[in-house]
């Protein structure tokens, strides 16, 4: 409902032209990604683990509002655990994670109290395909998470970031340009090259 929220705000503050531009961007982004996801064969979909918490062993199952971005872009959430209505993230064991053996891991950023850097150092994670292949990424987190809490407009940019990360041949975004454009459009802020690197260096496989 983010696009509708911007449309409503435009009426409240008397700037419907700007709100229409923002609402259109949001709707077009969601529609474009939903349309392209239909072309991804089920056996080509990337299996993803969302590492939350200070030890990386908390997550959210498919269908949770916290993994809506992953569900929309066509990633397979490996967390085969029951959704508990009204609750937050769920604790999982290392044994469960090894059994799921994801292709790719997205993690809370270090500065958010996540386990990203430690995943590469922790021997118990070393047997996972995602770790062996270097497919572990920090979720961009400025000014808010692009993926989850809080559920801000940054999740719209997160759709482009994560779809490009999982399926670059299908979602062939120039991610640097997309990020620059988004921050100018929604935050009226021009990112420096240094800030772009800070946002994307550990969050993409561009290096």
């Amino acid at each position: 409902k983010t696009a509708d929220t911007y449309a409503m705000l435009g009426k409240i503050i008397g700037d419907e032209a700007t709100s229409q531009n923002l609402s259109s961007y949001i709707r077009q982004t969601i529609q474009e990604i939903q349309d392209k996801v239909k072309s991804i064969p089920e056996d080509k979909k990337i299996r993803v683990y969302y590492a939350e918490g200070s030890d990386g062993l908390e997550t959210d199952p498919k269908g949770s509002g916290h993994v809506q971005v992953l569900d929309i872009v066509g990633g397979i959430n490996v967390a085969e655990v029951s959704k508990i209505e009204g609750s937050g993230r769920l604790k999982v064991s290392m044994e469960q994670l090894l059994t799921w053996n994801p292709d790719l891991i997205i993690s809370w950023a270090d500065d958010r109290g996540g386990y990203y850097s430690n995943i590469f150092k922790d021997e118990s994670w070393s047997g996972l395909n995602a770790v062996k292949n270097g497919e572990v990424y920090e979720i961009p987190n400025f000014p808010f998470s692009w993926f989850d809490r809080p559920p801000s407009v940054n999740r719209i940019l997160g759709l482009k970031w994560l779809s490009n990360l999982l399926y670059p041949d299908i979602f062939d975004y120039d991610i640097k340009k997309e990020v620059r454009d988004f921050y100018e459009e929604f935050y009226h802020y021009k990112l420096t090259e240094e800030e772009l690197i800070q946002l994307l260096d550990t969050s993409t496989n561009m290096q």
Side-chain angles (χ1 to χ4, degrees):
K1 299 181 179 178
T2 309
D4 293 338
T5 301
Y6 273 88
M8 179 183 68
L9 286 170
K11 290 179 181 179
I12 292 170
I13 67 173
D15 189 358
E16 292 186 61
T18 299
S19 71
Q20 181 58 44
N21 288 338
L22 301 179
S23 295
S24 295
Y25 177 98
I26 293 164
R27 289 193 178 96
Q28 287 168 10
T29 298
I30 293 171
Q31 190 63 57
E32 177 182 285
I33 287 173
Q34 287 177 329
D35 289 345
K36 288 187 175 182
V37 161
K38 294 173 185 175
S39 71
I40 306 172
E42 202 63 31
D43 62 352
K44 298 295 184 185
K45 289 187 175 179
I46 306 297
R47 301 174 67 258
V48 180
Y49 174 68
Y50 173 31
E52 302 180 75
S54 59
D55 62 359
L57 292 176
E58 296 176 52
T59 196
D60 284 280
K62 181 179 180 179
S64 165
H66 298 293
V67 290
Q68 194 173 29
V69 170
L70 178 59
D71 291 345
I72 290 173
V73 303
I76 295 176
N77 186 345
V78 299
E80 296 174 358
V81 288
S82 299
K83 180 182 175 185
I84 301 175
E85 295 298 332
S87 74
R89 55 192 184 268
L90 305 173
K91 195 75 179 167
V92 300
S93 68
M94 197 67 228
E95 289 72 24
Q96 282 177 306
L97 184 51
L98 288 166
T99 300
W100 294 335
N101 199 17
D103 304 313
L104 184 145
I105 295 169
I106 53 173
S107 172
W108 277 7
D110 287 350
D111 57 24
R112 190 185 172 184
Y115 203 60
Y116 168 73
S117 294
N118 289 308
I119 288 173
F120 296 101
K121 303 171 187 173
D122 189 333
E123 275 298 312
S124 61
W125 291 66
S126 63
L128 296 170
N129 285 341
V131 178
K132 290 177 187 175
N133 298 327
E135 296 287 348
V136 181
Y137 303 95
E138 271 190 308
I139 297 168
N141 196 42
F142 295 101
F144 306 106
S145 173
W146 293 9
F147 184 81
D148 188 6
R149 304 165 177 88
S152 74
V153 71
N154 278 14
R155 292 193 304 172
I156 303 303
L157 180 57
L159 289 172
K160 291 189 173 183
W161 160 69
L162 190 57
S163 62
N164 175 257
L165 183 65
L166 299 184
Y167 309 110
D169 293 337
I170 296 170
F171 300 97
D172 56 345
Y173 298 119
D174 177 343
I175 202 64
K176 278 190 169 184
K177 181 180 185 304
E178 294 293 341
V179 173
R180 278 196 185 99
D181 290 349
F182 182 90
Y183 275 69
E184 285 195 41
E185 190 77 17
F186 284 85
Y187 294 119
H188 312 287
Y189 184 80
K190 289 190 176 184
L191 289 165
T192 65
E193 187 65 23
E194 184 180 349
E195 288 166 334
L196 262 176
I197 290 170
Q198 183 183 7
L199 284 167
L200 298 173
D201 188 45
T202 56
S203 304
T204 67
N205 53 16
M206 290 191 304
Q207 57 271 46

